[in-house]
Amino acid sequence: MQKLRRRTWLATIASGLCLSTALTGLSTTTAHAQTHADTTLRIVVGYPPGGSSDRVARIVADKLQAKLGSPVIVENKTGAGGRLSAQYVKAAPANQPALLLANPAVMVVAPLVFPDAGYDAERDFRAVSHVNSYEFGVAVASAVPVKELPHLLAWLRANPAQANFGVPATGSLPHFFGLMVGDVAKVRAEIVGYRGSAPLTTDLIGGQVPVAFDTLDSLLPQHEAGKVRVLAVSSAKRSPLAPNVPTFKEAGLDLVATGWNTFFAPASMPAAQVERLSQLIQDVMKDPDTRRKFEAANMEPVAASRVQTEAMLKAYKAQWAPVVQRSGFKP
């Protein structure tokens, strides 16, 4: 009887030890999972999957994950022209690191035209790294009887009823660049806003709008297919993506303008972490494979430090803020 009690007692102790070990293991696993989750870096994009900003984010995320040795995921927080993504990252908890990949529409234009954008671009964010630049182009349908920018401007002055500039969205950079061109060229134009580049290009090809301003990468496929004709690009020198297309300066208008995609961190992120991410992203952007992927997507890669990025942003705001304000644009 005593031996039976002893065996029962020993079995109970053994069972308890097994349970304790299992709980300890579970606790360790849970703690590891929590730590793992906390080290996941989120790259937040304010536009849908498949667009140029999303492509940039996913190329960089893949390379950055390998350098960090921890997960990097892309989140698409769409809505309000990209402003929701900025609001989301601004409010990111300190233990859940996040970066915002944004363009000038979110970080320059929106704060100027919306009384309450939901964030202050300078106070709520730190610049991390500028990763690509893009040009704007002006295009006409292949049926429009002009082949050079001076001919287009002369045609528009002679046919003011045709002076309608299609843009992918009102309040977008192509919108303000179109106004800039109209001012410099002394052409009074109406801006026709679309819901994206695809419907704009469809109407340009179909003749519903005679002239379109958009990013070069959006216009290039139809230009190469012979369905539209890009007459000029807004970069300081000819784009390697379209070496046969002159710049606006070469075509007679003293204009240079570009857009960009840049990574921003919330102001709550420690300065040392911002600097480390900036350096790692620079390393990613110097990688030959990264550059090939950007160029294959008709995008110009850039490797910029945090200081270089801040200088670029300062100069950019000085150029574009007066244009946006003079336009009197109201959403």
Side-chain angles (χ1 to χ4, degrees), residues 269-290:
M269 183 178 285
Q273 190 174 2
V274 174
E275 190 63 46
R276 178 171 182 254
L277 286 170
S278 178
Q279 184 59 59
L280 289 175
I281 291 171
Q282 284 181 77
D283 293 344
V284 165
M285 296 311 300
K286 291 174 183 175
D287 177 63
D289 185 57
T290 301

Side-chain angles (χ1 to χ4, degrees), residues 93-108:
N95 67 342
Q96 295 179 17
L99 291 179
L100 172 68
L101 181 68
N103 60 25
V106 176
M107 301 304 278
V108 177

